[in-house]
Amino acid sequence: MSPRTLEVGLGERSYPIHIGGGLLARADLFRPHFASGRAAVVTNDVVAPLYAEALERTLSACGVRHFRIVIPDGEAAKRWETLDAVFGELLRRGADRKTVLVALGGGVVGDLAGFAAATYQRGVPFVQVPTTLLAQVDSSVGGKTAVNHALGKNMIGAFHQPLAVIADTGTLATLPDRELAAGLAEVIKYGAIRDLAFLGWLEANIDALRARDDAALAYAIGRSCELKAEIVALDEREAGPRALLNLGHTFGHAIETLEGYGTWLHGEAVAAGMVMAARFSARLGRLPGADADRLQRLLERAGLPVRPPALAVEAWLEAMGRDKKNESGRITLILLDGLGRGAIEKGAPLAALESFLAS
Ligand code: NAD
Ligand code: GLY
């Protein structure tokens, strides 16, 4: 079957997102992005044995000279020290400004390799080859790259758009169920903030998605990428509507940071965070309680946690106080004015938030 191709429309930095089975072998999709004939494949020690050879065979078929950099698996590796090790390897292997970095893996590899590409020798090109559902529907698209800091998620990073996103849906066959569910959290997010009809489709197809039905997955990935590409094209650097993509993330990032990176998967923290955002919206009278229940039910059916860990109110506020969306010390939250209608609330009412967190 031929791949589906979408475009992220960013003028001269526009790029394609190719989605389909067997794309790792498609030299025709890779070749246009490797004119320099040099590449470094950045991957991790779980993904490398599964997919690195297939990708490297294709690069060789395109006449591209390449070497591989393998980082440790997991969210805890998305840190400065790992990035520094990647820079060391790029320098030792003689990577220059035309060497294309290829991020082969989930969001951790994509974010870290993307940030390496944004900063190595003041910026080199890179291609995203996402292999988790979360990365195929979200993190590989849009050019946000980062590493974590002990004090906050994704605190050190840059905007740097890839040359292309090549999402081989066949790689999802080896993804553990828990990781698949984590990806579904971000898929559900798109419905919640922007597309009620898609949310309804997800309710009707959630069992098929969990059973990895090919057609259902292809539709969900395609629709998610369409929605993300639309928002990124409107607001590349998050001056406005792009912040909607952070529904659940202010609470979720606090969970990830406070519980220790990797204890909760990113998608799991976002799921619990979206329920918190929906419940807080209901408490403020902006969302009917029944709609918060409806969102929670869908997340539960996706196999996701919907309750946050027990944390002190002060700890929540401190972590949320460091969120990148905040301005002048006031917490910005993404709320829901209805299902399918996300809203950016700059300066969330603090007293109401404290009493909500305490409850
Ligand atoms: P991940 O990268 O840790 O991957 C999840 C796990 O699956 C890892 O153990 C990985 O090694 C393994 N894996 C990857 N592909 C596999 C495959 N095909 N088969 C078997 N195992 C496979 O996690 P993730 O959920 O992909 O990404 C989460 C990260 O993405 C977080 O750091 C989050 O902050 C970031 N993120 C970034 C953006 C963005 O816009 N840049 C958006 C959302 C999330
Ligand atoms: N995942 C949030 C964004 O890309 O803006």
Side-chain angles (χ1 to χ4, degrees), residues 80 111 115 118-119 144-147 154-160 324:
W80 190 261
D111 280 15
F115 187 40
T119 46
K144 278 190 181 176
T145 73
V147 293
N154 293 337
M155 280 295 152
I156 319 296
F159 286 96
H160 187 55
K324 293 187 293 309

Side-chain angles (χ1 to χ4, degrees), residues 138-139 141-144 154 159 186 189-190 228 231-232 235-236 238 241-247 249 253 266:
D138 192 350
S139 62
V141 175
K144 278 190 181 176
N154 293 337
F159 286 96
E186 302 280 15
K189 171 190 78 178
Y190 294 113
K228 178 139 190 192
I231 295 181
V232 169
D235 178 21
E236 182 183 6
E238 202 166 296
R242 183 165 178 169
L244 292 172
L245 293 171
N246 284 305
L247 176 69
H249 285 58
H253 284 167
H266 175 72

Side-chain angles (χ1 to χ4, degrees), residues 10-303:
L10 289 169
E12 62 182 14
R13 281 170 294 106
S14 296
Y15 54 94
I17 308 170
H18 301 294
I19 304 163
L23 302 198
L24 285 181
R26 291 284 299 266
D28 57 324
L29 300 182
F30 282 88
R31 191 175 290 111
H33 310 294
F34 292 86
S36 71
R38 296 187 293 284
V41 176
V42 182
T43 184
N44 75 16
D45 52 23
V46 168
V47 178
L50 294 169
Y51 301 112
E53 277 184 21
L55 170 67
E56 287 162 355
R57 260 198 308 278
T58 303
L59 292 176
S60 296
C62 297
V64 177
R65 279 191 293 122
H66 50 82
F67 59 90
R68 190 190 297 180
I69 301 176
V70 180
I71 67 171
D73 181 40
E75 186 72 37
K78 190 176 145 180
R79 57 194 287 173
W80 190 261
E81 291 79 0
T82 314
L83 186 69
D84 190 51
V86 169
F87 291 143
E89 214 35 34
L90 289 169
L91 288 165
R92 270 188 290 278
R93 305 292 294 259
D96 64 19
R97 282 185 163 169
K98 295 272 168 67
T99 303
V100 181
L101 301 200
V102 186
L104 174 70
V108 166
V109 165
D111 280 15
L112 187 139
F115 187 40
T119 46
Y120 182 72
Q121 298 194 355
R122 300 203 179 92
V124 296
F126 86 116
V127 170
Q128 288 272 19
V129 184
T131 62
T132 63
L133 180 61
L134 186 139
Q136 294 188 354
V137 300
D138 192 350
S139 62
S140 64
V141 175
K144 278 190 181 176
T145 73
V147 293
N148 301 325
H149 187 280
L151 295 180
K153 252 305 267 189
N154 293 337
M155 280 295 152
I156 319 296
F159 286 96
H160 187 55
Q161 300 294 342
L163 298 178
V165 178
I166 302 177
D168 185 337
T169 52
T171 60
L172 301 182
T174 52
L175 196 65
D177 286 341
R178 186 177 168 199
E179 299 291 349
L180 190 88
L184 289 173
E186 302 280 15
V187 175
I188 292 169
K189 171 190 78 178
Y190 294 113
I193 57 168
R194 211 168 159 84
D195 189 344
L196 184 56
F198 185 42
L199 200 74
W201 182 89
L202 287 168
E203 288 171 323
N205 289 278
I206 197 71
D207 298 334
L209 289 166
R210 290 190 74 187
R212 300 169 195 246
D213 175 87
D214 281 343
L217 276 174
Y219 180 75
I221 295 167
R223 184 65 191 136
S224 298
C225 286
E226 274 172 1
L227 288 161
K228 178 139 190 192
E230 207 174 280
I231 295 181
V232 169
L234 277 176
D235 178 21
E236 182 183 6
R237 290 188 168 236
E238 202 166 296
R242 183 165 178 169
L244 292 172
L245 293 171
N246 284 305
L247 176 69
H249 285 58
T250 312
F251 295 113
H253 284 167
I255 295 173
E256 289 186 81
T257 306
L258 295 169
E259 293 290 277
Y261 297 123
T263 308
W264 283 58
L265 300 183
H266 175 72
E268 293 173 341
V270 166
M274 284 195 286
V275 175
M276 292 178 79
R279 297 271 170 227
F280 188 53
S281 304
R283 190 174 278 207
L284 296 176
R286 298 174 67 145
L287 181 75
D291 281 352
D293 293 344
R294 184 176 163 192
L295 182 62
Q296 176 168 332
R297 257 195 319 275
L298 178 57
L299 291 162
E300 277 168 337
R301 288 182 60 210

